[in-house]
Amino acid sequence: MSAELILGKDVSEEIYAELRQRIEALKAAGTLPGLAVVLVGDDPASHVYVRKKGEMCESLGMRSKTIIMPESTTQSELLSVIADLNADPEIHGFLVQLPLPPHIDEKAVINAVAPEKDVDCFHPYNVGRMLAGDPGFLPATPAGVQQMLVRSGVETAGKHVVVVGRSNIVGKPMAAMMMQKGPGADSTVTVVHSRTANLPEITRQADILVVAIGKPRFVTADMVKDGAVVIDVGTNRIDDPTHPKGSRLVGDVDFDAVKEKASRITPVPGGVGPMTICMLMANTVRAAERSAGVSQ
C-alpha cells in the first residue's frame, strides 16, 4: 500500500486562513503588516521566489516591498538599504534573498538585519534564542516541516527523528527544533551527513526521516524503515526528455520506491515547498503583532 501524502498546499491553506484573521485584527487596530525583500543580482530562481512572496503578501492583504539591486551593488550600498529597512516603521519584517554575489560578505549582511525584523531567522541572536528554546522566530522551512507534522497528526514525542543534512538553513535548525519541549517536538534526534559512516543503517532507524541533503533521489527504499514518515525537503531539477520542458523537479528521496514503504510521505513538488513562504508570512505577522503590542 502506498503512503499517505502530506501536501504543503493543504497545510498552508489552513495556516493562511488563520493568518487572515490575525491580519484583519491588526488592521482594525491600525497596523498593516509589512514585508520587504531585497534581491541583488539576476538569479532566475531568486526572482521567481521573490515574485511569489510579493504575490502572497498581496493575497493576504499585507504591505509588500521589493527592492531589486544590480549585480554590481557594493556591500556598503546593500548595508545602507538594510539600515533604511531597519528604521522603516511600515516594514515589520524583511530579508535579503540568498545567494548574494561573491563580492558581498553574506555574514555581514545577515548580522546587519535587526533581529526583531529578521523573519528568515538567520541572525545569530535569533538562532541562539531558537537553540535555547525561546524563539523570536523559527526558520521558515524547518518551521513548515514541523507544522506539516503537527497538522497531519504525526506523533513526534519520543520518536526517533533522523535529519539527513546539516545546513544552516534546514538541517541544523530542524534538529534543534525537534529536540525542544512541546508540540511537534520532544523527539530523539540524530543528524547524518556526507561524512557519516553507515548512513543507511542510521536512516533505517528513523520513525520520522527528514531529508535535506541536496542530492536527487539520494534516499532509496532500502534506507527507510517500514511505516516511517518521510519528509523530503529537497528540490532538484534533472534532465527528462519525456517532459515538455526537457527536465523536471525531483526531491532528495526516490519517491516512487519509498512511498511503498513509508506510512506518510511528502511529494516533490507539492510537499514542503509551499510551506516556506507560508511560514515567512507567519513570521511577518508575528513581527507586526509584537510591534503593535499584541501577544502571540
Side-chain angles (χ1 to χ4, degrees):
M1 179 181 291
S2 292
E4 177 185 345
L5 297 183
I6 303 177
L7 300 176
K9 182 176 183 293
D10 294 344
V11 179
S12 63
E13 284 180 353
E14 183 180 323
I15 295 172
Y16 284 135
E18 296 167 4
L19 289 179
R20 286 187 170 92
Q21 294 180 356
R22 291 163 61 184
I23 291 166
E24 288 306 311
L26 280 166
K27 288 181 180 178
T31 297
L32 177 63
L35 172 69
V37 181
V38 182
L39 175 59
V40 183
D42 301 313
D43 180 69
S46 292
H47 275 271
V48 171
Y49 191 45
V50 167
R51 186 186 73 246
K52 288 181 177 179
K53 290 172 182 173
E55 290 171 351
M56 184 51 65
C57 278
E58 293 177 12
S59 169
L60 293 171
M62 293 166 51
R63 178 181 285 110
S64 174
K65 184 175 185 178
T66 301
I67 301 171
I68 299 178
M69 306 178 76
E71 183 87 13
S72 58
T73 296
T74 66
Q75 182 166 311
S76 62
E77 288 170 337
L78 178 55
L79 291 176
S80 177
V81 168
I82 291 171
D84 289 342
L85 291 171
N86 283 338
D88 188 343
E90 293 188 341
I91 297 300
H92 300 97
F94 72 93
L95 59 98
V96 180
Q97 185 68 36
L98 303 178
L100 290 166
H103 64 275
I104 295 178
D105 183 347
E106 187 175 292
K107 287 184 179 179
V109 169
I110 290 171
N111 291 343
V113 177
E116 66 271 18
K117 295 191 177 186
D118 171 40
V119 288
D120 252 346
C121 192
F122 284 171
H123 193 285
Y125 175 82
N126 285 327
V127 173
R129 286 190 63 178
M130 175 192 65
L131 288 170
D134 179 32
F137 300 107
L138 292 173
T141 301
V145 169
Q146 192 171 51
Q147 285 298 310
M148 294 177 87
L149 294 171
V150 170
R151 292 171 185 261
S152 299
V154 175
E155 180 59 66
T156 59
K159 301 299 182 181
H160 188 186
V161 174
V162 175
V163 179
V164 184
R166 53 178 170 177
S167 73
N168 289 334
I169 296 176
V170 180
K172 290 178 184 176
M174 189 81 253
M177 289 165 58
M178 295 305 295
M179 70 174 68
Q180 301 293 341
K181 295 179 180 179
D186 287 316
S187 305
T188 300
V189 181
T190 302
V191 178
V192 298
H193 47 77
S194 59
R195 301 298 295 273
T196 298
N198 301 318
L199 187 150
E201 180 181 323
I202 299 172
T203 60
R204 280 193 293 269
Q205 299 173 27
D207 301 307
I208 301 170
L209 184 62
V210 181
V211 189
I213 202 167
K215 295 182 179 180
R217 295 183 290 206
F218 175 81
V219 170
T220 52
D222 64 301
M223 298 168 67
V224 178
K225 178 171 72 173
D226 286 341
V229 175
V230 179
I231 307 293
D232 189 351
V233 185
T235 303
N236 312 279
R237 186 165 291 279
I238 64 169
D239 293 334
D240 184 355
T242 67
H243 195 278
K245 293 183 179 180
S247 64
R248 62 187 175 93
L249 293 178
V250 298
D252 291 352
V253 173
D254 184 1
F255 178 81
D256 289 336
V258 172
K259 72 178 182 180
E260 301 303 324
K261 291 190 74 175
S263 60
R264 298 187 185 184
I265 192 169
T266 60
V268 177
V272 175
M275 296 301 300
T276 299
I277 290 179
C278 176
M279 300 315 297
L280 178 66
M281 298 298 138
N283 280 347
T284 303
V285 172
R286 187 175 187 186
E289 288 168 338
R290 288 175 179 162
S291 177
V294 178
S295 176
Q296 267 294 337

